[in-house]
Amino acid sequence: MPGKDDTISVIFRSWTITHARVVSSTDRKAADYPGSGDPTGGFVNYVSRSVATSKGLAKVINGQVYLGTDNTTKISTSSQGRDSIRLEAKESFNQGLLIADIAHMPGNACGIWPAFWTFNFDEDPYGEIDIIEGVMQQPNNIVSLHTCGACTFDFSASSGTDSRTNCNLGGESRSCSDEVVTNADGCGNTGPSGSYGDKFNALGGGVYATQVLSDSVKIWFFPKASIPADLKAGNPDPSKWPAPFFNPQKSSRGCNVANFFKKNSIIINITFCGAAVDQETWNSVSTCKSKASTCNGFVAANPSAFSEAYWLFNSIKLYQ
């Protein structure tokens, strides 16, 4: 598939490592993200590019891009949170094949919530593709699509497990901002063993391939030892690959893919606690609850728990 082929080393120079007050080139303010400046209400302090590079949270190591969190400083629970990164691409794409070659992703840890995803910041309408997302001790990757408006899929052709068919967050307005969210999980499924966290890293990393077309969104995961030769050579041909684990088909109710999943901006972030880890969720994980009474309390007092809380990218390429 000919077209744009940019390594993350190139993309990295045109991205903004976000601060809580300036989170992208469009200068969106913390007021858009009430509280911590994090849209998910995390216990996190997204630092500026200069701070991230000076503290070693963002750096290039032998051509690989490292994006991590502070793992040395104890902080107060009354602070904004642990220093971390949130990158948002300044450019977006409508359709294409997005290839993320990842040597290491954030490992499993109490309170952690990393993600590699895309979002339409214009929200015309709301559309989100969560390519990689995990919370705390979650064993495998969970892929989700989120829309604001009717969108359902049939996942019977997908090899992933625990499928969810309804993508609609719960509203029918432009951005769902005035609607009560009744379906925060969206639609999607769970990836295979080795697709997330510690298990992914133990395999030496791997590749995620996300294909967005006018009528479909498909996602493949290839462990390092199983990356197709054409992909390695820089000439990816999805028609020669095994079936994707995320392969939703249109249901009887349908989904206008081209309408919901356009202007896709890549986002890479690591947050903590927040909406994904409320008190009930924290209490339900005994290995975490036994270490601290609250998620924020654990994250604040245990920096060394996040020594594996970093992304290490070999490349990110978009073929169009």
Side-chain angles (χ1 to χ4, degrees):
M1 184 181 297
K4 195 159 54 175
D5 179 352
D6 296 322
T7 67
I8 195 170
S9 295
V10 174
I11 295 174
F12 181 71
R13 290 197 292 270
S14 66
W15 284 6
T16 298
I17 299 177
T18 61
H19 185 273
R21 288 194 170 274
V22 182
V23 297
S24 83
S25 59
T26 55
D27 198 28
R28 285 173 288 109
K29 302 296 185 181
D32 296 321
Y33 299 155
S36 69
D38 174 26
T40 59
F43 183 59
V44 64
N45 178 40
Y46 288 133
V47 298
S48 67
R49 179 170 185 150
S50 60
V51 171
T53 53
S54 67
K55 289 189 172 184
L57 305 187
K59 54 190 174 183
V60 177
I61 307 171
N62 297 322
Q64 297 173 303
V65 173
Y66 173 102
L67 303 168
T69 68
D70 171 81
N71 59 21
T72 61
T73 310
K74 291 186 178 182
I75 59 177
S76 170
T77 54
S78 63
S79 69
Q80 184 161 296
R82 184 159 298 285
D83 285 356
S84 186
I85 54 89
R86 177 181 167 105
L87 266 67
E88 299 176 356
K90 291 184 176 182
E91 297 181 0
S92 63
F93 68 96
N94 292 324
Q95 297 175 29
L97 181 64
L98 178 65
I99 306 293
D101 187 343
I102 308 171
H104 184 282
M105 69 169 64
N108 296 96
C110 296
I112 198 168
W113 181 10
F116 177 86
W117 52 301
T118 70
F119 185 67
N120 174 4
F121 284 108
D122 287 340
E123 296 186 351
D124 59 348
Y126 188 107
E128 176 181 335
I129 306 173
D130 297 333
I131 300 168
I132 302 172
E133 184 177 28
V135 178
M136 302 213 295
Q137 308 302 333
Q138 178 181 310
N140 301 315
N141 181 36
I142 294 180
V143 177
S144 302
L145 305 180
H146 299 284
T147 64
C148 186
C151 177
T152 61
F153 285 107
D154 176 0
F155 281 85
S156 60
S158 298
S159 59
T161 60
D162 303 320
S163 60
R164 294 161 280 118
T165 61
N166 182 16
C167 309
N168 188 6
L169 287 167
E172 298 294 338
S173 68
R174 180 172 180 267
S175 66
C176 289
S177 58
D178 296 324
E179 305 286 342
V180 176
V181 174
T182 58
N183 181 40
D185 291 341
C187 66
N189 64 10
T190 300
S193 178
S195 59
Y196 177 75
D198 291 345
K199 291 183 178 180
F200 175 92
N201 297 331
L203 293 173
V207 168
Y208 271 88
T210 303
Q211 185 181 52
V212 183
L213 300 177
S214 62
D215 60 352
S216 65
V217 178
K218 299 178 181 180
I219 299 176
W220 291 259
F221 165 61
F222 301 109
K224 183 179 180 180
S226 304
I227 300 172
D230 59 285
L231 203 162
K232 286 184 178 180
N235 298 298
D237 184 354
S239 68
K240 297 179 180 179
W241 301 347
F245 77 88
F246 184 85
N247 187 22
Q249 309 294 308
K250 287 189 176 180
S251 69
S252 58
R253 292 182 61 189
C255 183
N256 188 334
V257 173
N259 180 53
F260 283 119
F261 304 108
K262 62 187 179 186
K263 302 179 183 178
N264 303 296
S265 293
I266 302 167
I267 304 173
I268 305 168
N269 70 288
I270 306 172
T271 189
F272 304 95
C273 306
V277 192
D278 59 16
Q279 192 62 44
E280 182 179 359
T281 301
W282 180 260
N283 290 342
S284 70
V285 182
S286 59
T287 55
C288 294
K289 181 185 177 183
S290 64
K291 297 174 182 177
S293 60
T294 67
C295 183
N296 287 12
F298 177 83
V299 172
N302 295 277
S304 63
F306 306 108
S307 60
E308 294 294 313
Y310 65 90
W311 297 94
L312 189 64
F313 289 92
N314 293 318
S315 64
I316 296 177
K317 302 179 180 181
L318 177 65
Y319 294 86
Q320 293 180 304

